[in-house]
Amino acid sequence: MEVGDKIYIAGHRGMVGSAMHRKLIKEGFTNLVLRSSSDLDLRNQAAVAHFFETEKPDYVFLAAAKVGGIHANNTYRAQFLYENLMIQNNVIHQSYLQGVKKLLFFGSSCIYPKFAPQPLKEESLLTGLLEETNEPYAIAKISGIKMCEAYRDQYNCNYVSVMPTNLYGYADNYHPEHSHVLPALIRKFHEAKISGAKQVEIWGSGMPLREFLFVDDLAEAAFLVMQNYQEKQFLNIGTGEDLTIKDLAKTIQKIIDFKGDLIFNTEKPDGTPRKLMDVSKIKSLGWVPKIGLEEGIKLAYTDFLKILATN
Ligand code: GFB
């Protein structure tokens, strides 16, 4: 990518897309094509075709997706499958038809089998059964990877995919039920502290292990991949370190300074027991995450307070 190239960020208002937007601006890119979902419904084939015919972008970051935490994935199973497939099918196919030079597709670590060996290597894809709570989302994301690979094989398209671990950071979703664990706990501890509640409920046993990456670190990795990586093989993006949900909760509790107790609700699902990424491939390209977990949670908490103040 050269600074004057026309770059389309699909999903620029979301957490990943907005981080990509900030990164491109920081790098001096000025010719950015952006559409909010109210201006362009990416599930609509005719609308996406018209957009690509008119704009003809040079490069595409495909960050638009229907996303959410364990409860949202498990509840809106049809929407997670349908909407994600429609968005990615439309954007990838129209990119091919309009001669986009390179496309980067954002997937997710939930593509791996539930009991794949840890840390998860890229080679473990499609070697076993998926985690039930997010199977529809995972199948959509696996389809996205396979579409990029197939368009490369058949049409010689330079399409690459990255699989981020659990993300958090600026512009996250803090919905009490639909969000991911980290933003959910920021909200729960903050509200409990303000209301003087004696306890905070944590879903599940607290035993699952998760890895967390600040979204700006993902944007750095994706920029590097777009600039320097031309292979068919998709890449894991993560820190290579994980912790239990219980330890995550205690870390957030300390940062927010909530003095009460943690209650574990085992009626709620745990999901995958562990999904630690093997990140040796992306690290061999020269990328390392810069924002540690405590620092990142403090940045996210400040952003949460800002969002709260403007709503
Ligand atoms: O982040 P999360 O919703 O998704 O939940 P996954 C991670 C773990 O935290 C689960 C527990 O064991 C949850 O039960 N947890 C504890 C909570 N308290 C809470 C809470 O208040 N809210 C939430 N949301 N969780 C998602 C997938 O899986 O990860 C998606 O469903 C996607 O497909 C995403 O891949 C990255 O890590 O289990």
Side-chain angles (χ1 to χ4, degrees), residues 269-288:
D270 270 346
T272 304
R274 189 178 194 194
K275 43 179 175 177
L276 179 65
M277 297 287 227
D278 181 322
V279 286
S280 37
K281 284 194 168 71
I282 183 68
K283 283 194 167 169
S284 73
L285 297 179
W287 173 86
V288 279

Side-chain angles (χ1 to χ4, degrees), residues 184-201 251-262 301-302 304-305 308:
L185 294 187
I186 286 181
R187 179 174 179 159
K188 283 185 187 176
F189 282 120
H190 175 78
E191 289 180 348
K193 180 180 159 181
I194 299 299
S195 71
K198 300 244 175 315
Q199 56 194 45
V200 159
E201 182 191 280
T251 307
I252 299 175
Q253 176 181 25
K254 189 181 81 187
I255 289 168
I256 295 185
D257 193 26
F258 168 70
K259 306 269 191 241
D261 299 323
L262 309 184
Y301 184 40
T302 307
F304 167 76
L305 294 175
L308 208 60

Side-chain angles (χ1 to χ4, degrees), residues 30 64 67 76 104 130 133 141 150 159 171 175 183 197 214 249 275 311:
T30 49
V67 299
Y76 306 108
L104 184 144
L130 298 164
T133 54
K141 289 297 183 185
Y159 295 171
H175 189 280
F214 198 85
K275 43 179 175 177
N311 280 333

Side-chain angles (χ1 to χ4, degrees), residues 1-297:
M1 290 182 302
E2 305 286 336
V3 285
D5 285 336
K6 197 174 208 182
I7 300 166
Y8 172 46
I9 308 170
H12 76 286
R13 292 244 175 104
M15 181 168 67
V16 171
S18 59
M20 213 59 247
H21 190 191
R22 285 192 297 279
K23 172 68 181 166
L24 290 170
I25 289 172
K26 193 172 123 197
E27 294 292 331
F29 288 81
T30 49
N31 195 0
L32 305 179
V33 189
L34 309 168
R35 292 287 185 285
S36 64
S37 52
S38 53
D39 292 332
L40 174 62
D41 181 351
L42 292 172
R43 297 165 300 186
N44 180 328
Q45 188 180 26
V48 178
H50 178 71
F51 166 75
F52 272 85
E53 278 157 20
T54 315
E55 292 291 348
K56 295 193 187 303
D58 297 310
Y59 293 87
V60 172
F61 287 92
L62 178 39
K66 180 164 184 66
V67 299
I70 193 165
H71 176 73
N73 268 265
N74 204 14
T75 308
Y76 306 108
R77 298 176 72 86
Q79 281 172 272
F80 271 76
L81 188 53
Y82 173 75
E83 294 186 23
N84 284 305
L85 284 174
M86 292 303 282
I87 292 168
Q88 66 204 38
N89 283 350
N90 287 335
V91 173
I92 294 171
H93 189 64
Q94 293 306 324
S95 293
Y96 154 64
L97 291 180
Q98 297 307 325
V100 163
K101 290 180 189 155
K102 189 167 182 182
L103 174 145
L104 184 144
F105 172 68
F106 289 95
S108 160
S109 61
C110 69
I111 56 161
Y112 289 110
K114 179 168 184 173
F115 298 114
Q118 307 282 325
L120 297 158
K121 287 188 188 303
E122 286 88 349
E123 294 74 25
S124 286
L125 184 70
L126 293 173
T127 56
L129 293 175
L130 298 164
E131 153 63 21
E132 170 66 14
T133 54
N134 59 30
E135 191 188 71
Y137 181 69
I139 286 183
K141 289 297 183 185
I142 293 169
S143 302
I145 297 173
K146 291 296 164 191
M147 231 174 135
C148 289
E149 292 178 359
Y151 277 59
R152 176 184 288 271
D153 290 343
Q154 186 176 346
Y155 304 129
N156 217 12
C157 294
N158 189 7
Y159 295 171
V160 292
S161 304
V162 295
M163 299 303 122
T165 190
N166 288 35
L167 299 167
Y168 70 104
Y170 302 126
D172 207 343
N173 170 13
Y174 289 91
H175 189 280
E177 270 148 22
H178 299 159
S179 65
H180 290 98
V181 61
L182 197 152
L185 294 187
I186 286 181
R187 179 174 179 159
K188 283 185 187 176
F189 282 120
H190 175 78
E191 289 180 348
K193 180 180 159 181
I194 299 299
S195 71
K198 300 244 175 315
Q199 56 194 45
V200 159
E201 182 191 280
I202 314 293
W203 294 354
S205 65
M207 298 314 287
L209 287 147
R210 292 290 183 275
E211 177 187 5
F212 297 94
L213 180 71
F214 198 85
V215 71
D216 287 30
D217 277 327
L218 170 66
E220 298 279 337
F223 184 80
L224 179 79
V225 168
M226 192 59 127
Q227 292 294 52
N228 296 324
Y229 183 78
Q230 327 295 342
E231 309 295 320
K232 180 174 172 180
Q233 174 62 57
F234 68 86
L235 297 171
N236 288 343
I237 316 282
T239 62
E241 287 170 24
D242 60 4
L243 77 172
T244 63
I245 295 301
K246 186 176 182 182
D247 284 343
L248 173 76
K250 284 185 179 164
T251 307
I252 299 175
Q253 176 181 25
K254 189 181 81 187
I255 289 168
I256 295 185
D257 193 26
F258 168 70
K259 306 269 191 241
D261 299 323
L262 309 184
I263 303 295
F264 292 89
N265 180 354
T266 50
E267 303 281 294
K268 299 279 188 186
D270 270 346
T272 304
R274 189 178 194 194
K275 43 179 175 177
L276 179 65
M277 297 287 227
D278 181 322
V279 286
S280 37
K281 284 194 168 71
I282 183 68
K283 283 194 167 169
S284 73
L285 297 179
W287 173 86
V288 279
K290 295 190 186 120
I291 303 170
L293 186 59
E294 288 207 18
E295 181 192 355
I297 292 170

